[in-house]
Amino acid sequence: MRQVLTALVLVAGLIDLLIVGSKLLTPHDPAQMAAAVHGLSIIRAHCTSFFSIAALSMIVGALWKNGDLLLVPTFIFIGAFVERLVNLVVFGSYPQWLLPMALDLVHVALLLAARRALAGEDAEDEPADDTRPGGGVLA
């Protein structure tokens, strides 16, 4: 199960990196760009930062089997979900509003499950310790 979750985190991180590339390379309508270059710049910068940090943390966390590193993208996706929820409440729904929110929740669930599985792996790798913190041996 740990290997499956680790592989899923790795694949999700790679997909997120593809999204980064898409945001950087996707051509936009020149008329829209002229009207909103500043806004587009902000969106492109934040989307790129969001997905690249999340994706790299997921990939490194999966490869190093470091569950704590998976907390970084977990909190990023929780933040994204909350921000989308606030936008939904304030401005109402829009076409295809559900998919990005569902993907945020899938990421969170996958990352929390993988973190828990990797934490269990760390516990299994450590030898049993029969001593108390004070130095006494358990009977």
Side-chain angles (χ1 to χ4, degrees):
M1 184 58 144
R2 287 183 199 109
Q3 289 84 8
V4 171
L5 288 170
T6 302
L8 287 173
V9 169
L10 186 61
V11 168
L14 292 171
I15 290 170
D16 289 344
L17 277 181
L18 290 174
I19 292 171
V20 168
S22 170
K23 292 292 180 191
L24 286 174
L25 301 175
T26 301
H28 294 279
D29 181 16
Q32 287 180 341
M33 285 180 59
V37 172
H38 178 70
L40 184 59
S41 173
I42 291 170
I43 291 169
R44 181 170 278 164
H46 291 161
C47 284
T48 301
S49 297
F50 168 82
F51 279 110
S52 62
I53 296 299
L56 292 174
S57 296
M58 291 165 65
I59 291 168
V60 172
L63 290 176
W64 290 354
K65 297 186 185 326
N66 183 341
D68 289 340
L69 192 53
L70 297 180
L71 285 175
V72 173
T74 301
F75 288 127
I76 289 173
F77 282 104
I78 288 171
F81 178 80
V82 169
E83 292 158 9
R84 291 180 200 275
L85 186 60
V86 167
N87 191 63
L88 184 66
V89 169
V90 172
F91 297 109
S93 66
Y94 53 91
Q96 300 175 349
W97 65 270
L98 185 58
L99 181 61
M101 292 180 77
L103 289 176
D104 290 341
L105 288 180
V106 167
H107 272 85
V108 169
L110 172 64
L111 290 165
L112 289 175
R115 182 176 186 276
R116 184 174 183 151
L118 291 175
E121 183 173 288
D122 291 342
E124 289 175 8
D125 291 343
E126 295 177 6
D129 187 11
D130 291 333
T131 61
R132 293 185 214 162
V137 178
L138 295 174

